[in-house]
Amino acid sequence: MSTGTILMAARETNAGGGAVAEQLRRIAKGLEERGLHVRWAADARDAQAVLRTEAGLAGALVAWDLNPRPGPAGAEGGGAEVLSAIGRRFTDLPVFLLMPQDTETGGTGSDTDGDFEQLPLWVAEVVCGYVWPLEDTAAFIAGRVAGAARQYQDGVLPPFFKALRRFDDAHQYSWHTPRTPVASRS
């Protein structure tokens, strides 16, 4: 049973090939094993559509080098567009920035490090972490994202519904019915 949704906005889609795409699929599988549903977006337009339609979003992994929307609206870059849209729609949503990989060296290369240093300051204020997909295991990354998503979901719910959710998670197959009233004597 899925209890939340994670947006995976990356140029490497679920159907794509290559080491980074395979690692992202493994991360998505790890998230699904932890009870989270993954929605894939290949560009900024798709990601913004998910943001508009998915009220149960519990977190996001957004690639900084995501393809932007066509036209002048995409001038700032796809990752920046999606991060701005998240900031307008959600408060304190855990967002992890997927950093570009230098697949020739198998990790972060000198220009990838430069990309990190060139990020605008506001990005550091919006994201809660950075992910280099080929630097850690998929299980570790999925656990980190799932933990942040659970913490976010716990903070969003009011106390009664938080307790009700915990009860529902713990007692999925229990039946609780109200007591049948006794017929009044006339």
Side-chain angles (χ1 to χ4, degrees):
M1 180 173 118
S2 121
T3 58
T5 301
I6 303 293
L7 168 64
M8 179 84 72
R11 290 187 314 169
E12 296 84 3
T13 63
N14 189 20
V20 174
E22 176 62 28
Q23 184 73 338
L24 292 178
R25 280 193 293 276
R26 289 178 183 168
I27 293 167
K29 183 179 178 195
L31 291 168
E32 289 168 352
E33 289 170 354
R34 289 167 173 82
L36 295 162
H37 176 70
V38 176
R39 293 276 309 263
W40 291 87
D43 58 29
R45 182 185 313 203
D46 287 349
Q48 290 179 4
V50 171
L51 293 173
R52 283 191 306 274
T53 59
E54 188 64 59
L57 210 58
L61 286 131
V62 179
W64 182 249
D65 62 350
L66 190 65
N67 294 327
R69 289 184 300 163
E76 61 183 342
E81 286 180 55
V82 175
L83 292 178
S84 296
I86 288 172
R88 287 190 303 271
R89 174 91 160 86
F90 296 92
T91 303
D92 299 326
L93 183 76
V95 179
F96 293 85
L97 193 63
L98 288 167
M99 297 302 293
Q101 294 288 152
D102 180 4
T103 54
E104 290 178 13
T105 62
T108 56
S110 60
D111 23 80
T112 305
D113 291 338
D115 289 342
F116 180 73
E117 293 171 1
Q118 298 301 317
L119 290 174
L121 180 60
W122 67 266
V123 172
E125 296 168 352
V126 173
V127 302
C128 68
Y130 301 88
V131 173
W132 284 268
L134 300 177
E135 296 291 315
D136 285 311
T137 66
F140 175 78
I141 295 169
R144 207 170 133 212
V145 173
R150 296 280 183 244
Q151 187 175 9
Y152 171 76
Q153 287 177 318
D154 286 345
V156 169
L157 295 174
F160 173 75
F161 288 104
K162 188 184 306 183
L164 188 61
R165 179 174 164 226
R166 273 196 222 114
F167 177 82
D168 183 53
D169 288 346
H171 304 286
Q172 293 180 17
Y173 300 105
S174 55
W175 292 84
H176 298 280
T177 57
R179 190 179 94 200
T180 308
V182 177
S184 62
R185 296 180 205 172
S186 310

